[in-house]
Amino acid sequence: MANDNFVVLKNVCKRFGDNTVIGDLDLEIKKGSLVTLLGPSGCGKTTVLRLVAGLEKPSSGQIFIDGEDVTNTSIQQRDICMVFQSYALFPHLSLHDNVGYGLKMLKLSAAEIKHRVDEALKLVDMEGMGDRFVDQISGGQQQRVALARALVLKPKVLLFDEPLSNLDANLRRSMRETIRELQQRFNITSLYVTHDQTEAFAVSDTVIVMNDGEIMQQGSPGDLYQSPASMFMANFMGDANIFSGSFDGEQLNINGYRIAADPEVIRGNPAGDYQIGVRPEAILLAHEGEPCQQCIVENVVYMGSMYEVAVMWHDQELLLQLNSSQFDAGLSDHAYLTINPTGLFLLPADAR
């Protein structure tokens, strides 16, 4: 295996009895990158993580780490650490002993363990708290300790299994920034599993979207959001309004509303009929416009940082997301919509 691809799954299949959970999967993670497996519950992402960890054995196929075939080796032989959703800390041990547990198993000296544990706790902003116990710290601090316990071992590969799902919104934001900063600082090859799109976008170099045990699409967060390759991807990667429309080589036509084509949206597609996706944040409302742009405002919901607005346009309900500076509370039921050309994407007319 090429060394640049540090973790490689080749033709991996995993079956539980007659149920195929992962089918003939190929996956590559470049050295030093953070790749996130994203998808709905039951899509197979956690099974892939467990296969890489050695907690499950593939029914067929091979797994390589740093060029070595580890398909049949245990987790202890793979130089891997995992950060769990449940933290998995020992309540009867101090934070220092929790972080240093793996080093103790390696039979390092007490002085070396203390040095590395103190260093790891400092990295996660828990300096001077080593004497405390798990029940004396918050959930966010417990997750920081779990991260320190993994980092202190300096593993080849770091695995994250839904690590932030038990935290509130503010702590999730703080912790994903910490995880990303430390992963980049130490250049640790990492595989991250989550069902949260915002979390995946915030921490990842590459996002791999899975469904029913298969990879649906992979790429940078921006590519997946702006250029979904299927109807599943269009609807899974945020909200999308989908229309039957056409492209004449210069303009897109949706319900008679002609929109100048953006080169990044068209990307060499020929003239013809398409399914045209419009992201909710790409639609604005105004008091005036062409007859083909007229819509009826049906519902407005205040969401704090934005308004979610539902409108009826040519017998189709659309979702709009407008921040407070874009939303005009004086709009009557009848308004006119405008579409930002950069907020569109194209799918084949028969896309599913």
Side-chain angles (χ1 to χ4, degrees), residues 83-89 138-143 146 161-173 175 192-196 199:
V83 179
F84 295 93
Q85 173 183 345
S86 61
Y87 317 139
L89 300 175
S138 68
Q141 290 173 319
Q142 289 179 39
Q143 191 56 283
D161 183 15
E162 303 265 12
L164 309 183
S165 59
N166 288 337
L167 304 180
D168 63 36
N170 288 334
L171 282 175
R172 283 201 302 272
R173 186 180 302 109
M175 276 304 302
Y192 195 106
V193 163
T194 183
H195 63 274
D196 186 309
E199 191 176 319

Side-chain angles (χ1 to χ4, degrees), residues 49-114:
L49 190 81
R50 291 176 61 84
L51 287 166
V52 173
L55 297 172
E56 299 284 354
K57 295 291 189 292
S59 303
S60 60
Q62 293 174 286
I63 300 173
F64 298 84
I65 296 177
D66 195 15
E68 178 185 354
D69 188 339
V70 298
T71 309
N72 296 308
T73 62
S74 67
I75 187 172
Q76 292 84 1
Q77 297 170 298
R78 297 191 186 194
D79 197 4
I80 278 177
C81 284
M82 184 178 288
V83 179
F84 295 93
Q85 173 183 345
S86 61
Y87 317 139
L89 300 175
F90 298 116
H92 64 288
L93 297 180
S94 68
L95 304 187
H96 180 282
D97 289 344
N98 265 284
V99 175
Y101 185 81
L103 298 176
K104 186 177 181 181
M105 294 299 99
L106 294 175
K107 302 188 185 304
L108 298 186
S109 69
E112 176 68 10
I113 291 174
K114 183 179 186 310

Side-chain angles (χ1 to χ4, degrees), residues 38-347:
L38 175 67
S41 297
C43 72
K45 57 187 185 293
T46 298
T47 300
V48 172
L49 190 81
R50 291 176 61 84
L51 287 166
V52 173
L55 297 172
E56 299 284 354
K57 295 291 189 292
S59 303
S60 60
Q62 293 174 286
I63 300 173
F64 298 84
I65 296 177
D66 195 15
E68 178 185 354
D69 188 339
V70 298
T71 309
N72 296 308
T73 62
S74 67
I75 187 172
Q76 292 84 1
Q77 297 170 298
R78 297 191 186 194
D79 197 4
I80 278 177
C81 284
M82 184 178 288
V83 179
F84 295 93
Q85 173 183 345
S86 61
Y87 317 139
L89 300 175
F90 298 116
H92 64 288
L93 297 180
S94 68
L95 304 187
H96 180 282
D97 289 344
N98 265 284
V99 175
Y101 185 81
L103 298 176
K104 186 177 181 181
M105 294 299 99
L106 294 175
K107 302 188 185 304
L108 298 186
S109 69
E112 176 68 10
I113 291 174
K114 183 179 186 310
H115 171 72
R116 287 174 61 170
V117 168
D118 288 347
E119 187 178 61
L121 287 173
K122 184 177 180 180
L123 283 172
V124 297
D125 296 325
M126 298 285 289
E127 186 176 14
M129 300 178 68
D131 291 337
R132 298 189 187 184
F133 286 79
V134 174
D135 62 359
Q136 297 175 312
I137 60 175
S138 68
Q141 290 173 319
Q142 289 179 39
Q143 191 56 283
R144 288 178 180 272
V145 173
L147 180 57
R149 181 181 57 188
L151 291 172
V152 78
L153 292 170
K154 301 178 181 178
K156 283 184 176 181
V157 180
L158 192 53
L159 305 178
F160 295 90
D161 183 15
E162 303 265 12
L164 309 183
S165 59
N166 288 337
L167 304 180
D168 63 36
N170 288 334
L171 282 175
R172 283 201 302 272
R173 186 180 302 109
S174 171
M175 276 304 302
R176 69 189 185 218
E177 291 172 358
T178 298
I179 287 170
R180 184 57 168 160
E181 192 273 326
L182 291 174
Q183 182 270 330
Q184 290 184 311
R185 184 194 302 185
F186 295 105
N187 201 38
I188 303 174
T189 306
S190 303
L191 182 61
Y192 195 106
V193 163
T194 183
H195 63 274
D196 186 309
Q197 178 185 315
T198 301
E199 191 176 319
F201 280 15
V203 301
S204 308
D205 295 301
T206 300
V207 176
I208 297 176
V209 179
M210 296 187 64
N211 191 41
D212 293 334
E214 298 181 2
I215 293 176
M216 305 302 293
Q217 190 175 347
Q218 59 184 304
S220 70
D223 284 345
L224 296 187
Y225 187 76
Q226 295 164 14
S227 303
S230 65
M231 197 66 74
F232 170 84
M233 288 296 301
N235 288 300
F236 183 75
M237 302 303 291
D239 295 299
N241 301 294
I242 307 294
F243 304 93
S244 295
S246 63
F247 172 51
D248 64 9
E250 294 183 357
Q251 293 183 316
L252 296 161
N253 187 327
I254 307 174
N255 293 330
Y257 178 19
R258 303 183 71 82
I259 306 164
D262 182 274
E264 287 298 311
V265 172
I266 302 307
R267 297 194 178 194
N269 284 306
D273 293 332
Y274 290 92
Q275 297 269 30
I276 301 175
V278 183
R279 294 298 184 188
E281 67 273 14
I283 307 175
L284 299 178
L285 296 179
H287 289 280
E288 298 178 347
E290 299 296 324
C292 63
Q293 297 171 250
Q294 188 175 34
C295 62
I296 299 173
V297 178
E298 293 198 318
N299 192 36
V300 177
V301 179
Y302 178 63
M303 303 291 288
S305 61
M306 66 178 180
Y307 288 90
E308 281 195 350
V309 182
V311 305
M312 186 64 70
W313 186 49
H314 293 270
D315 297 322
Q316 182 173 344
E317 186 174 83
L318 310 185
L319 175 67
L320 287 65
Q321 293 174 344
L322 307 172
N323 64 42
S324 56
S325 65
Q326 295 172 323
F327 181 68
D328 183 350
L331 281 169
S332 62
D333 288 346
H334 289 78
Y336 295 84
L337 58 80
T338 59
I339 297 175
N340 186 332
T342 62
L344 307 180
F345 57 85
L346 300 184
L347 292 171

